[in-house]
């Protein structure tokens, strides 16, 4: 009886079933990686069975690629809503940095998926027919902001928008993906609210200093120097 009800629900709401499968698969792949993920667990979490899963998405590798494409689509859709085109260039860059930082914090499974696919040398992503087209408008959006900044005199150099975004993402990604080891090494908890707020301010200052040619100190909200004693100092 229960099986019959699940099949009926699947037939009435095929798109809803596909979305539940993809969400369950995202959590499974983020937690266990591609090699450790199990289709049985994904199906059970989605309230489906293997036949439904294969019908909606395909085999395990196809499911993994669909999850990757969905993860990239989600962040690109939210980035398009930032309205960067209508902000002053420095404010637009600051908003992009803040969004990227907070998105990574809110979506740790996205970072986990990126780690997994990089370990696989992007083997699955290379099969995607969607990912490159998702990123072209995003790159052009950044290029437009940088061009406006140069024309207005806010920015000194028209940097490559791809390089700029990679730098922003790297500043966010490395800190978060390595926070456990870095916290131990430097003797401070890098994931407290204060630490994360300081990190965001530091990233904004660095990037805007590079674009404007001004000192990073010019963009610090708190002008008081924050030099800290070494972790093992008795001071």
């Amino acid at each position: 009886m229960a099986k019959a009800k699940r099949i009926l629900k699947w037939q009435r709401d095929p798109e809803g079933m596909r979305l539940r499968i993809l969400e369950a698969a995202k959590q499974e792949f983020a937690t266990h990686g591609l090699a450790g993920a199990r289709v049985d667990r994904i199906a059970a979490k989605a309230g489906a069975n293997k036949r439904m899963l294969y019908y909606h998405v395909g085999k395990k590798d196809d499911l993994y690629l669909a999850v990757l494409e969905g993860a990239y689509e989600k962040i690109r859709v939210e980035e398009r809503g930032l309205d960067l085109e209508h902000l002053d260039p420095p404010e637009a860059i600051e908003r992009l940095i803040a969004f990227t930082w907070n998105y990574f914090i809110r979506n740790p499974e996205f970072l986990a998926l990126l780690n997994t696919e990089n370990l696989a040398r992007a083997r699955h992503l290379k099969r995607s027919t969607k990912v490159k087209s998702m990123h072209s408008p995003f790159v052009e959006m950044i290029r437009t902001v940088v061009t406006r900044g140069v024309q207005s005199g806010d920015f000194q150099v028209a940097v490559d928008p791809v390089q700029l975004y990679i730098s922003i993402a790297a500043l966010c990604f490395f800190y978060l993906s390595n926070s456990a080891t870095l916290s131990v090494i430097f003797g401070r908890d890098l994931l407290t609210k204060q630490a994360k707020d300081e990190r965001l301010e530091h990233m904004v200052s660095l990037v805007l200093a590079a674009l404007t040619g001004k000192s990073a100190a010019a963009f610090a909200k708190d002008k008081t120097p924050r030099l800290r004693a070494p972790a093992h100092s008795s001071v």
Side-chain angles (χ1 to χ4, degrees), residues 184-227:
V184 172
I185 291 168
F186 295 112
R188 64 173 76 165
D189 185 350
L190 296 180
L191 293 182
T192 65
K193 183 182 184 304
Q194 179 182 346
K196 288 186 289 188
D197 288 346
E198 288 178 0
R199 178 62 183 177
L200 176 56
E201 181 183 332
H202 176 72
M203 292 187 295
V204 169
S205 297
L206 280 182
V207 174
L208 289 181
L211 290 171
T212 63
K214 298 178 181 178
S215 167
F219 302 100
K221 294 177 181 177
D222 180 2
K223 305 299 182 181
T224 305
R226 284 198 296 251
L227 290 176

Side-chain angles (χ1 to χ4, degrees), residues 78-136:
E78 292 195 28
E79 283 163 341
R80 288 198 293 273
L82 294 177
D83 197 32
L84 302 184
E85 299 91 333
H86 299 98
L87 298 175
D88 289 337
E91 185 182 354
I93 296 299
E94 181 173 358
R95 178 174 291 187
L96 176 60
I97 297 169
F99 168 80
T100 303
W101 173 245
N102 288 308
Y103 188 90
F104 286 179
I105 290 173
R106 294 195 317 270
N107 297 275
E109 70 280 357
F110 182 59
L111 304 188
L113 290 169
L114 293 184
N115 276 328
T116 296
E117 185 60 6
N118 275 293
L119 288 173
R121 301 291 183 184
R123 176 166 58 89
H124 304 86
L125 208 58
K126 288 173 184 176
R127 295 196 290 117
S128 175
T129 59
K130 301 178 181 179
V131 170
K132 288 184 180 179
S133 62
M134 289 180 202
H135 287 70
S136 295

